[in-house]
Amino acid sequence: KVRSIFHPTDLSDASKVAFVHALKIALLTKSELNVLHVSPKEDIPWQQFPALRPTLARWKLIPEGSPESAVGELGLSVRKVIASSDDPVDACLDFLARHPTDLVVLSVHQHNGRMRWMERAVCQTTICKQLLKIITTFTMLKEKIQKKK
């Protein structure tokens, strides 16, 4: 069972798409969703993070302008964190060491963007193991959807 989802974001458009997938999975599994942005400076405006309540309102799950408590009423717990570091991979691994997760949902840039997940040997270990869980989960969800059609 998925109880905790980790979504590292570089606040790019691609990461916003990954956030929507992470949020949908969190809703389906009633999981905790941890959204982490890593930056050398901590003064990133919260408005740059993916918009949680407006997304839920757009999906007609909560009324527009709902308070934060409306998110919890959906069985969802979301934590947005800014980590101050020059190394996003190390910061993510440190976060995961303190907050174990069942699933990682991320956007992978092909040799560009700020996170550059694929350029570190760590990808062959921790991150890639989590990516395998993601692929397996999406495959299972896709099969369930196709069976219902």
Side-chain angles (χ1 to χ4, degrees):
K1 178 175 177 354
V2 177
R3 290 177 298 272
S4 176
I5 299 170
F6 175 63
H7 170 60
T9 180
D10 63 2
L11 307 176
S12 67
D13 288 340
S15 280
K16 289 176 185 168
V17 172
F19 167 77
V20 169
H21 290 291
L23 179 57
K24 191 63 156 179
I25 295 168
L27 281 165
L28 290 171
T29 60
K30 301 213 181 300
S31 301
E32 175 183 56
L33 174 59
N34 291 298
V35 181
L36 176 73
H37 175 66
V38 181
S39 175
K41 46 191 171 163
E42 291 185 32
D43 62 345
I44 303 295
W46 288 108
Q47 297 86 341
Q48 287 187 14
F49 268 77
L52 174 64
R53 284 178 285 156
T55 302
L56 296 172
R58 199 171 48 252
W59 293 347
K60 309 239 183 281
L61 295 173
I62 61 173
E64 201 168 308
S66 290
E68 286 182 31
S69 60
V71 174
E73 291 170 11
L74 295 173
L76 188 62
S77 170
V78 179
R79 176 181 7 191
K80 295 180 180 179
V81 178
I82 298 173
S84 179
S85 176
D86 291 324
D87 189 330
V89 174
D90 284 346
C92 288
L93 291 175
D94 181 55
F95 184 89
L96 289 170
R98 290 180 286 116
H99 307 280
T101 193
D102 299 307
L103 184 66
V104 176
V105 180
L106 57 92
S107 171
V108 179
H109 301 277
Q110 298 298 317
H111 304 295
N112 62 15
R114 294 177 286 232
M115 293 191 101
R116 300 183 188 208
W117 289 99
M118 304 306 278
E119 292 182 14
R120 295 270 313 265
V122 73
C123 180
Q124 282 111 29
T125 57
T126 307
I127 301 298
C128 284
K129 286 178 184 175
Q130 293 296 336
L131 285 173
L132 182 57
K133 285 184 183 180
I134 294 168
I135 293 166
T136 303
T137 301
F138 277 115
T139 301
M140 289 175 7
L141 288 173
K142 184 178 175 184
E143 288 172 1
K144 282 185 178 180
I145 291 168
Q146 288 175 343
K147 285 180 184 177
K148 288 182 179 180
K149 289 183 179 180

